[in-house]
Amino acid sequence: MGTANVSCEQRDIDRYNRVVAVCSAGGEDLNGWLVQQGYAVAYRQYSTDYVSHENGAKKAKRGVWAGGFTPPWDWRRGDRRDSPSTVSGPAAASKPPAGTSGCKIKGNINTKGDWIFHVPGSRDYDRTQINEGAGERWFCSESEALAAGWRAPRG
């Protein structure tokens, strides 16, 4: 496979305007191979095609599944735990919902893809709904939200 031509077929565009594609070389699905070897995880937000590949890598403890790691979507949210993961996709929350954790700041992603946090009592707080499956989350402090790359609303 080291000398084969690689071709990629676009399947989607993500919220950052990046191409989501399936790549192959010599007739082999490279995305599936990477997940099956434990070098990548199935990113369920865009496809469930590689879940069985991931399950096989988990069972065989290949690649990242050989030890503990934090899934990328949790890492980007600021969760830096070094423990075995039970990945269930980007919807896996790094914090319990506000009602159980006391974290009441809402991290919302608007239609333009901007990461905005809303504090209790702010203009849009009551009408803002959190969809953790879309990457939205709860914060316990404004400084936590800022450190994770979110911003306060404008205006």
Side-chain angles (χ1 to χ4, degrees):
M1 183 168 33
T3 60
N5 288 327
V6 174
S7 64
C8 298
E9 180 183 328
Q10 180 176 329
R11 296 286 171 92
D12 202 350
I13 298 283
D14 72 8
R15 70 175 184 235
Y16 303 106
N17 207 32
R18 297 176 299 200
V19 173
V20 176
V22 173
C23 297
S24 60
E28 182 166 9
D29 178 346
L30 297 176
N31 303 34
W33 183 86
L34 288 166
V35 174
Q36 192 171 38
Q37 299 307 310
Y39 299 139
V41 291
Y43 198 38
R44 292 159 174 82
Q45 182 174 347
Y46 293 99
S47 171
T48 57
D49 292 350
Y50 303 111
V51 172
S52 65
H53 296 75
E54 182 180 284
N55 290 339
K58 275 188 205 180
K59 186 174 181 177
K61 298 187 184 308
R62 285 191 294 264
V64 298
W65 303 107
F69 82 105
T70 302
W73 41 86
D74 288 342
W75 181 270
R76 287 189 292 270
R77 290 182 184 149
D79 183 351
R80 304 293 196 259
R81 289 176 295 171
D82 185 27
S83 59
S85 176
T86 54
V87 175
S88 62
S94 59
K95 287 188 169 38
T100 59
S101 73
C103 299
K104 300 198 181 303
I105 297 175
K106 298 177 178 181
N108 175 250
I109 302 170
N110 71 13
T111 56
K112 295 178 188 173
D114 298 327
W115 295 8
I116 302 168
F117 67 84
H118 301 276
V119 298
S122 64
R123 184 185 71 193
D124 296 319
Y125 184 84
D126 289 336
R127 68 183 182 110
T128 299
Q129 300 295 313
I130 298 303
N131 178 351
E132 293 182 73
E136 298 177 336
R137 62 169 288 189
W138 296 95
F139 295 100
C140 294
S141 70
E142 289 183 58
S143 60
E144 178 189 4
L146 291 166
W150 299 68
R151 69 166 174 82
R154 294 185 179 121

